[in-house]
Structure formats: C-alpha cells, structure tokens
C-alpha cells in the first residue's frame, strides 16, 4: 500500500493511467468513499420530498417511473456529482478537471463518437435479448400517447444528467480515491474496480442477483474504458446511451402509462442478463479499437474543450 508522509500527499500523478492518477492521504480517501453514497442519498431524499408531496410515497424496491421521478433522479444525481467534484478537488488539492481527464483536455468529439457507437451496441444487445428471451423483458403493449411522449422527453433531458452524474461519482471520484491506497498501478486499478462496483451496486438498491452482477460488470467496464481512453468521455457516453435507450424502450412499451422498476429477488430477466453483460464488453472492445487506431488526436492543456437494464 502507498505510504504517505504528508509532504506531497495530493496531486495528479502523470505516469499513472486515468482512474488511479490522483495521490491522496488515506483518511481523505476514506472521506470520499463514505461521502459519495451519502451525498447521493441526501440529494435524492431532498429532491424526492417534492415528488412525494405531488405523487405520494413510493416503494424504494419498486419505484414507479413517472416523468417527475425520472426528472428528480436526474437532478439529484447531477447535484451530487457537482458537490462530490468540489469535495474531491478540495481534499486532493487538484483542479476539478482532473476528475474528467488526465494528461489531455476533455474531448467532446470523443463523447459524441462514443455516444453513437454505444447507442448502436446497446440497441443490438436489447434486440438480441428480446429475440432470445422475450419473456425476460417485462414490457407491455406498444401505445404512443401523451404520457409516452412526456416520458421520452423527460428521459432525453434528465437521464443524461443522471448517467453523467453517476460516472462522476463512481468513476471520477470513487475509483481514484480507492486507487490512492496503493502504490502499484495494478492493485490500485483492481481495488478501484471492486470498490466502485460494490458502491455502484449498493446505491441501486437491488437484491436480484443477476441484476447486481450486471451492475458490477457495467461498473467494471466503465472503469476500463476510462483507463483505455484517459478520461470519462467514453464512460459517460456509454452510460448515457445505455440508460436513454432503456428509458425510451420502457416508455414505448408501457402502454401509454408508467412502469415500475422491480428490484426484488427474481424480478429481473435472470440469465438473459448475460447478453447485456456481453454488450458491455463489446463497448470496451469498441473503445480499445478506436483508441488503438488513434482516431482521437491528443490535445494537451488543462481546460475542458468546448464551450429494464438501466444502470
């Protein structure tokens, strides 16, 4: 494990890959690891107070996906991401941009390209799942009405906020904080993947074994694409594509009504989740191939360039 003497305990480390590139004292790292789920929970409780006043109380193990709840999740997660970014930058004594990329500028072109590629792979994964195991999708009749259109609109606006916020929380903050405990790169990466996956699965409040396994694989893949690409662009793009596509599909097949996320035991698609896990791996391969082909010229600088299987 990494020994810290307090003389230079906080800074980006240039020769370590993104995700394990931040030096922190262990007690500061521990604060971040505890604070991330707590901040997310507090933000969601605070925002959902308004939802409860309008729609009444909800079952946390079987929440109903209404336009208002989707919007509340997006706003609360985005706010949690902003607070955590400020906390991490303060504790680690680093520019806040270091949570988004390492040794280069944030690349909006990467984000756009990977968003398109991930959306295609997610759509393929969902289609294959529906063809092979249609009973596992849990969707109803197709009916496009006012509720369906409103759900799609809110999904397009709020779900990217939620997805990007989770990537900032669990890959931008948790992975570097956990990795800071180790001097060696490989143990730092392994520990970051484990801690990020565990916390990511816990905050989704599911006890369905297959879905929990999927969440852990999803988390590990987003960590890996960050390591490969040197930033959060690919992970954010994958997460946004995954959740937006899933959200639109849920809306279209909800019979012009709302649907519920059942997170109890045996509530998910079961072994069909393996197809979606393979889709996650396909995204990692896509990112690796595109980065290996050097399709994205590296730009030095410290500023950011430019003005149900939901995870």
């Amino acid at each position: 494990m990494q020994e810290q003497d307090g003389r230079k305990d906080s800074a980006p480390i240039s020769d370590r890959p993104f995700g394990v590139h931040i030096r922190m004292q262990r007690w500061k790292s521990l604060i971040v690891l505890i604070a991330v789920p707590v901040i997310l929970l507090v933000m969601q409780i605070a925002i959902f107070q308004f939802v409860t006043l309008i729609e009444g109380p909800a079952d946390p193990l079987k929440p109903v996906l209404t336009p208002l709840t989707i919007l509340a999740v997006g706003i609360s997660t985005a706010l949690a991401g902003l607070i955590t970014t400020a906390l991490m930058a303060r504790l680690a004594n680093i520019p806040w941009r270091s949570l988004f990329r390492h040794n280069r500028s944030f690349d909006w072109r990467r984000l756009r390209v990977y968003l398109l590629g991930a959306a295609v792979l997610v759509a393929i994964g969902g289609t294959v799942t529906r063809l092979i195991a249609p009973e596992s999708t849990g969707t109803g009749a197709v009916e496009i009405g006012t509720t369906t259109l409103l759900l799609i609109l809110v999904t397009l606006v709020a779900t990217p906020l939620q997805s990007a916020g989770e990537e900032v929380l669990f890959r931008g903050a948790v992975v570097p904080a956990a990795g800071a405990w180790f001097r060696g790169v490989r143990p730092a990466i392994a520990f970051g993947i484990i801690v990020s996956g565990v916390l990511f699965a816990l905050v989704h409040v599911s006890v369905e074994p297959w879905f929990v396994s999927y969440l852990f694989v999803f988390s590990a893949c987003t960590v890996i694409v960050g390591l490969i690409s040197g930033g959060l662009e690919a992970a954010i793009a994958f997460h946004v594509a995954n959740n937006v596509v899933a959200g639109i599909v849920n809306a279209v097949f909800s019979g012009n009504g709302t649907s519920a996320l059942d997170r109890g035991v045996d509530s998910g698609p079961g072994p069909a989740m393996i197809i979606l896990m393979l889709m996650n791996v396909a995204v990692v391969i896509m990112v690796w191939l595109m980065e290996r082909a050097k399709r994205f010229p590296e730009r030095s600088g410290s500023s950011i360039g430019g003005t149900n299987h939901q995870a």
Side-chain angles (χ1 to χ4, degrees):
M1 286 193 177
Q2 185 175 355
E3 297 295 332
Q4 278 115 356
D5 55 14
R7 290 192 295 269
K8 189 178 180 182
D9 53 32
S10 303
I13 308 172
S14 61
D15 60 349
R16 285 165 71 100
F18 176 80
V20 292
H21 62 297
I22 296 174
R23 180 186 293 110
M24 297 178 69
Q25 288 180 302
R26 291 176 188 165
W27 68 270
K28 292 182 178 180
S29 167
L30 189 59
I31 289 176
V32 173
L33 297 180
I34 295 173
V36 164
V38 171
I39 291 172
L40 180 59
L41 179 62
V42 169
M43 286 296 99
Q44 290 190 341
I45 291 175
I47 298 297
F48 268 84
Q49 293 304 309
F50 296 99
V51 178
T52 301
L53 290 175
I54 299 173
E55 297 183 347
D59 182 354
L61 285 179
K62 199 172 183 179
V64 178
L65 297 177
T66 67
L68 195 56
T69 59
I70 294 172
L71 183 61
V73 170
I75 293 174
S76 59
T77 308
L79 289 174
L82 290 174
I83 294 171
T84 299
T85 297
L87 175 66
M88 185 73 173
R90 180 70 179 85
L91 289 176
N93 191 28
I94 58 173
W96 62 268
R97 298 176 180 87
S98 296
L99 273 69
F100 294 83
R101 83 292 181 275
H102 183 48
N103 288 335
R104 61 172 176 79
S105 299
F106 192 88
D107 191 345
W108 291 97
R109 179 170 174 260
R110 262 187 177 91
L111 186 65
R112 293 191 298 269
V113 171
Y114 285 139
L115 183 61
L116 178 60
V120 171
L121 291 175
V122 169
I124 292 173
T127 301
V128 172
T129 302
R130 185 173 295 277
L131 292 175
I132 294 178
E135 73 286 350
S136 70
T137 56
T139 52
V142 175
E143 183 179 346
I144 307 298
T146 303
T147 301
T148 300
L149 294 176
L150 184 57
L151 283 170
I152 293 174
L153 176 62
V154 174
T155 296
L156 290 172
V157 173
T159 300
L161 295 177
Q162 172 252 328
S163 303
E166 288 187 352
E167 287 309 308
V168 173
L169 290 167
F170 296 101
R171 264 61 75 177
V174 167
V175 174
W181 281 61
F182 292 86
R183 184 182 299 275
V185 171
R186 289 183 180 179
I189 293 173
F191 192 56
I193 289 175
I194 292 171
V195 174
S196 176
V198 169
L199 291 180
F200 186 65
L202 284 176
V203 300
H204 281 79
V205 199
S206 176
V207 293
E208 206 285 310
W210 281 102
F211 184 59
V212 171
S213 300
Y214 166 78
L215 289 172
F216 195 90
V217 171
F218 182 95
S219 178
C221 287
T222 52
V223 174
I224 292 170
V225 297
L227 290 165
I228 293 171
S229 62
L232 279 184
E233 301 97 334
I236 291 174
F238 176 28
H239 205 147
V240 169
N242 184 78
N243 286 15
V244 167
V245 170
I248 291 175
V249 170
N250 287 338
V252 170
F253 285 91
S254 63
N256 195 34
T258 58
S259 59
L261 286 178
D262 190 350
R263 293 169 173 170
V265 178
D266 297 328
S267 60
M273 276 290 183
I274 295 176
I275 300 172
L276 302 178
M277 295 180 197
L278 292 175
M279 177 268 295
N280 294 345
V281 175
V283 171
V284 174
I285 295 173
M286 175 193 70
V287 172
W288 178 75
L289 289 174
M290 296 193 72
E291 294 291 335
R292 186 169 179 264
K294 300 186 184 300
R295 293 173 183 251
F296 304 102
E298 300 300 336
R299 299 193 303 267
S300 62
S302 60
S303 62
I304 291 185
T307 49
N308 162 147
H309 60 275
Q310 284 196 352

